[in-house]
Amino acid sequence: MNILILGAGQVGASLAEALVSEANDITLVDLDAGALAQLADRLDVRTVTGNAAFPSVLAEAGVETADLIVAVTQSDQSNLVACKLAHSRFAVPTRIARLRSPDFLDPTLLSTDNFAVDFALCPEQEISDYIGKLVEYPEALQVVEFAEGRLTMVGLRAYEGGLLVGKPIRAMRGHLPSGVDARIAAIFRDTRAINIDGDTVVHAGDEVFLLAATEHIRTVLKELRRMQKPVRKVMIAGAGNVGARVAGRLEGSCEVKLVESRPARAALVAGWLNRTLVLTGEATDETLLAREEIGSMDMFLALTNDDENNIMAASLAKRLGCRRVLALINREAYADMVQGGPIDIGLSPAQVSIGGLLTHVRQADVARVHSLRRGAAEALELVVRGERGSSRVVGRRIEELPEIHGASIAAVVRGGRVIIPHHDTLIEAGDHVVVFCTRKRYIAAVEKLFLPTASLLPGWFR
C-alpha cells in the first residue's frame, strides 16, 4: 500500500514505524527537515520537506498514486485542507485526519461534500478515555476493549502470592466460578514474549495479558493480582486539553483536584468543571502536594505537556505516599525507562492514539486495533468474511488453521456472545476474531490469513 503521512511528530513517526515493516511504501511530509532526516536515517521511508496543505508539496510527495493519506500535523486546519485537496484534486481513495478541536468533529463538516475526511481521530479524547479505564482498573498496566465493549483485555503485573503465580495456566479455570471463562493471551517475561500453553507456569513479575467478557473481567482479575481498592481520590497535574478532559470524566465518580501552573488557564478550566477543585501552582512543589494531602490520594495523574515535569511530579507524589501514579510521556525512551520504578505507568500518547489509525490502515476487515506494550505487540479484532470456498478460515477449526508463530486467536465474538476458543472451535462467517500478535512482523501473515480470496492456494492447510 502506498501511504502518505503528513506530519512527522510523535503520532506520524509512530505510525510510520508501525507500517514500514509491513511492505508499505511510506512517504512523510513535514516542515521540519531535521525531524525528517532523523526518521529517514532510522526507517525505510521517503521524506518531503514542506507545508502539507500546499498542492505543490502534496504533488511532490506523490499524492497522485497514494492509496491512503493520513494527516496528523499539529494544525487542524492544515489536516482538513490536505484531506480536501487529496479528495477533490488528487482522488486519493481514503483520507484520515487528526483533529484536536471538537468544533471540527461534525459529520457534516467532514462529509465528502465538505472536507472529505473518512475518519477523524481526536487524540485527546482517546487518551482521556484510556486513562479513565486505567482509573477504573487501578491494578492494570493497560486496558483495551473489543467488540464495542463486550470484550476486555487487561495487561497487568503478576504479584507474589497471587492465586495463579507458581501454577500452570490451566489451573486458572479451577478458580473461576461456573459460567466464567477467560484466556491468558500472552505473557512477557523480562520484556520478551514467551511461548505459552496450558502447562506454562506464571512467575511473579510476569506481564500478563488477560482477556474475558467485560462483565467477567473483575472476577478473573483476582486470579493474578490482589484487587486494589476502587479509586475515589485523584489529583491531576496539568489542565491542558487532556487534563481538563480527564477531570471532567472523573469528577462524577471521584474527588478530583486539578493543579495548573498558569493562572489564566486554571481560571478558565475551573469555569468548565462542576465538582473539581482547581488549584494554581506547580505539581513539582512538595509543599503544595503535602498541603493538599497527596498521601491520601488513590491516584496521581501527571498530564502536562512536559515529560520531565510529569516524571518529576509523579515520582514526588509516589514518594509522598500516593498509592498509584501515572505519567504522560511523549518520548518513548523515557516511558520505557521510568515504568516499573517509582512510576507505576508511563503512558505514551502516540501509542494510545495509533490504534485508531491502524484500524483504518490494515488490509483485512479490521474492526479494532490496539497497540500494546508501547508498540511492541498488537491485538487485532478481525471480521471474518467469505465462505469456505473463498476463505482460509471460514468453516475450519482453529487447529486446522496454518500456524503463525507469535500470533494466536484469543477470543471470538459471535452475535454478541463472547467465546473463549479452544483448538476445536469452529470459525464462522461474521465472527469477530481477536488475534494477539507478540511481534509486529507477524501482522501481515495474520491479515493474509483472514483476507477472502477467489481461489485457495494449495498448501494453506495441513
Side-chain angles (χ1 to χ4, degrees):
M1 185 183 293
N2 191 349
I3 302 172
L4 186 57
I5 300 175
L6 311 180
Q10 288 292 330
V11 174
S14 296
L15 181 63
E17 188 171 6
L19 296 175
V20 75
S21 61
E22 300 173 21
N24 295 301
D25 293 323
I26 309 292
T27 302
L28 276 164
V29 178
D30 200 277
L31 285 166
D32 189 340
L36 291 175
Q38 290 181 6
L39 288 169
D41 286 342
R42 187 163 55 89
L43 304 173
D44 182 18
V45 296
R46 179 172 172 257
T47 63
V48 173
T49 303
N51 190 320
F54 288 6
S56 58
V57 174
L58 293 175
E60 182 184 352
V63 68
E64 296 95 338
T65 58
D67 301 302
L68 168 70
I69 185 170
V70 185
V72 289
T73 75
Q74 297 295 328
S75 167
D76 287 359
Q77 293 87 339
S78 292
N79 294 338
L80 289 169
V81 170
C83 286
K84 179 63 175 177
L85 287 170
H87 169 68
S88 61
R89 183 162 178 176
F90 299 108
V92 178
T94 307
R95 302 155 305 276
I96 298 173
R98 176 173 71 172
L99 300 173
R100 295 175 180 272
S101 173
D103 287 347
F104 291 125
L105 298 175
D106 180 343
T108 303
L109 282 175
L110 303 180
S111 68
T112 304
D113 292 334
N114 291 300
F115 286 114
V117 176
D118 294 309
F119 172 68
L121 170 74
C122 180
E124 288 82 2
Q125 188 59 55
E126 293 221 0
I127 294 164
S128 300
D129 292 344
Y130 190 92
I131 293 172
K133 283 292 180 185
L134 291 172
V135 173
E136 185 179 344
Y137 296 90
E139 54 278 309
L141 299 173
Q142 284 192 267
V143 182
V144 296
E145 293 182 340
F146 301 94
E148 298 180 339
R150 295 184 181 91
L151 190 66
T152 297
M153 178 180 287
V154 177
L156 64 159
R157 191 80 61 191
Y159 75 100
E160 190 68 54
L163 288 175
L164 197 56
V165 170
K167 299 174 185 174
I169 289 174
R170 67 174 73 255
M172 180 172 64
R173 186 163 285 107
H175 294 291
L176 296 177
S178 176
V180 175
D181 204 354
R183 165 67 49 82
I184 291 179
I187 294 176
F188 289 82
R189 184 171 296 159
D190 299 326
T191 73
R192 295 191 303 274
I194 64 171
N195 296 325
I196 62 172
D197 56 29
D199 295 320
T200 301
V201 175
V202 179
H203 294 181
D206 283 350
E207 189 174 342
V208 179
F209 283 87
L210 189 68
L211 189 143
T214 299
E215 66 266 26
H216 296 153
I217 195 67
R218 284 280 178 199
T219 302
V220 176
L221 281 177
K222 295 178 183 178
E223 280 298 283
L224 290 175
R225 189 163 181 86
R226 185 181 297 107
M227 292 293 289
Q228 296 189 11
K229 295 188 304 179
V231 172
R232 293 288 179 257
K233 293 184 177 183
V234 178
M235 183 179 288
I236 300 171
N241 290 331
V242 174
R245 284 175 184 265
V246 172
R249 177 187 174 109
L250 297 180
E251 66 177 358
S253 57
C254 299
E255 176 186 321
V256 181
K257 294 182 179 181
L258 178 59
V259 182
E260 170 56 48
S261 61
R262 299 165 294 171
R265 178 66 181 179
L268 178 65
V269 172
W272 297 344
L273 300 170
N274 298 316
R275 299 174 60 186
T276 297
L277 175 61
V278 181
L279 305 164
T280 302
E282 296 287 347
T284 53
D285 183 347
E286 184 172 351
T287 302
L288 183 150
L289 294 183
R291 185 178 69 240
E292 296 302 326
E293 301 178 328
I294 186 64
S296 69
M297 294 290 161
D298 299 313
M299 203 158 187
F300 179 87
L301 308 173
L303 307 179
T304 77
N305 292 321
D306 187 293
D307 286 359
E308 288 79 7
N309 274 351
N310 288 342
I311 293 170
M312 292 298 295
S315 299
L316 179 60
K318 190 73 169 183
R319 182 170 68 81
L320 293 176
C322 184
R323 184 154 59 95
R324 193 161 177 83
V325 301
L326 176 149
L328 198 64
I329 302 173
N330 285 288
R331 295 180 64 176
E332 290 182 33
Y334 283 6
D336 291 335
M337 180 178 65
V338 302
Q339 182 165 296
I343 295 174
D344 297 296
I345 302 173
L347 187 62
S348 166
Q351 290 302 328
V352 174
S353 304
I354 201 173
L357 292 171
L358 291 175
T359 299
H360 295 267
V361 174
R362 299 299 184 205
Q363 295 184 43
D365 193 344
V366 178
R368 197 69 176 96
V369 175
H370 288 293
S371 180
L372 305 170
R373 302 195 78 253
R374 292 181 291 282
E378 273 189 23
L380 302 87
E381 177 188 344
L382 299 120
V383 184
V384 178
R385 302 298 186 194
E387 53 191 22
R388 187 175 176 89
S390 62
S391 170
R392 302 178 179 95
V393 297
V394 172
R396 294 173 172 87
R397 296 187 299 274
I398 288 177
E399 63 186 0
E400 296 179 301
L401 301 181
E403 182 179 359
I404 300 174
H405 179 72
S408 61
I409 294 178
V412 176
V413 180
R414 181 176 298 157
R417 180 169 62 96
V418 174
I419 301 170
I420 303 300
H422 301 284
H423 65 93
D424 57 351
T425 299
L426 199 70
I427 303 297
E428 299 179 2
D431 284 352
H432 285 233
V433 177
V434 175
V435 179
F436 194 107
C437 296
T438 58
R439 292 287 185 276
K440 289 186 294 186
R441 64 176 179 268
Y442 306 134
I443 292 168
V446 171
E447 288 184 322
K448 183 177 181 182
L449 177 62
F450 279 84
L451 277 171
T453 181
S455 60
L456 294 178
L457 299 175
W460 268 98
F461 295 97
R462 293 187 292 271

